Amino acid sequence: MRDKYDWAGKPSTDSAAVMQQYDEMAPTYDATLLQDWGYRAPAVAADLLARHVGLNSTVLDVGCGTGLTGGELKRVGFATVHGTDISQPSLEAAANKRVYESLVRANLMEPLPFADDSFDAALCVGVLSYITGDGLFRELCRIVRAGGVLVLSHRTDLVVQREFGKLLAQLAAEGLWRSVETSTNLPYLPGHPDFGTQIEVQFFILKVL
Ligand SMILES: C[S@@+](CC[C@H](N)C(=O)[O-])C[C@H]1O[C@@H](n2cnc3c(N)ncnc32)[C@H](O)[C@@H]1O
């Protein structure tokens, strides 16, 4: 049986619809994702980032939701973590974890409310399914300083369907970033009946130029 939001289907890129989904899910998100579906992407992303930047880096968790990635960044030892998301109830859940220096409500499909070179690194975990175009990536390259690092996760089926490799190459050709490492395909939501081993996740580590 499909879950209410058909997670494994074609994700909506309508920001208002996505916001409503995550507003509704906020109270149950952590238990559903971690316990029921075996979601480990936040932990994997935090461990990956720690291999590429110092723990004194100022990090932005992009699409932080209820703060799972912030919690993992703290576990790894990052001291200064900021977060942004469109869902206010999710941001409130994230605030309750007390791991973020600041939390800012923003739509990732619009220019981001951060100055140039504000961060040493940014992670975007479990979010790109809901994002169209290349605007977010250009914004990340603007707000993360040159030499900083991005860690992006993307569903393996959407990497293919949306030709994510072309986007990576396009921004590299423009001199915005350089690919540092791409993970193998890893389990995404192994406990979700529609994901299983059919839909996995890949992590992309990029250096901002
Ligand atoms: C699957 S959750 C991932 C949350 C968190 N990164 C994690 O791994 O647990 C997707 C998150 O992306 C956020 N999101 C989706 N589209 C967005 C948009 N256009 N602007 C800001 N946040 C967005 C949702 O509100 C939600 O919190």
Side-chain angles (χ1 to χ4, degrees):
M1 192 183 77
R2 294 236 161 108
D3 63 274
K4 179 179 174 191
Y5 299 109
D6 188 18
W7 272 58
K10 187 169 180 273
S12 173
T13 52
D14 172 346
S15 301
V18 174
M19 182 176 72
Q20 189 186 343
Q21 170 181 341
Y22 283 98
D23 285 357
E24 288 174 12
M25 278 198 74
T28 55
Y29 180 90
D30 290 7
T32 303
L33 274 277
L34 295 176
Q35 282 142 43
D36 297 351
W37 296 346
Y39 184 54
R40 297 289 173 267
V44 175
D47 289 336
L48 279 171
L49 185 65
R51 285 192 4 221
H52 292 278
V53 300
L55 295 177
N56 58 349
S57 299
T58 299
V59 181
L60 180 65
D61 181 5
V62 179
C64 62
T66 59
L68 294 181
T69 303
E72 295 293 343
L73 289 166
K74 285 283 171 172
R75 169 188 61 78
V76 168
F78 286 99
T80 312
V81 181
H82 301 263
T84 184
D85 200 282
I86 200 171
S87 164
Q88 187 60 33
S90 298
L91 287 170
E92 285 161 18
N96 288 337
K97 292 193 170 68
R98 306 201 182 284
V99 293
Y100 293 94
E101 292 290 310
S102 76
L103 289 162
V104 176
R105 184 161 178 264
N107 185 346
L108 302 177
M109 302 276 269
E110 297 174 359
L112 298 180
F114 303 104
D116 296 1
D117 305 328
S118 294
F119 303 99
D120 300 307
L123 300 94
C124 192
V125 182
V127 177
L128 296 185
S129 306
Y130 307 107
I131 302 297
T132 52
D134 60 10
L136 172 61
F137 306 104
R138 292 179 187 280
E139 280 292 89
L140 294 181
C141 291
R142 179 184 67 76
I143 66 174
V144 173
R145 67 169 172 81
V149 169
L150 307 177
V151 176
L152 313 175
S153 79
H154 214 344
R155 268 170 50 171
T156 50
D157 57 328
L158 299 179
V159 167
V160 175
Q161 283 167 34
R162 297 186 185 171
E163 301 184 314
F164 191 61
K166 272 192 188 169
L167 187 143
L168 290 173
Q170 174 62 36
L171 270 60
E174 292 182 33
L176 288 180
W177 65 23
R178 160 173 84 73
S179 175
V180 175
E181 183 184 339
T182 301
S183 78
T184 55
N185 293 359
L186 298 167
Y188 190 35
L189 299 175
H192 188 300
D194 299 334
F195 277 73
T197 55
Q198 300 300 307
I199 300 175
E200 297 189 298
V201 66
Q202 261 189 301
F203 294 84
F204 300 86
I205 294 103
L206 299 145
K207 181 156 277 197
V208 176
L209 300 177

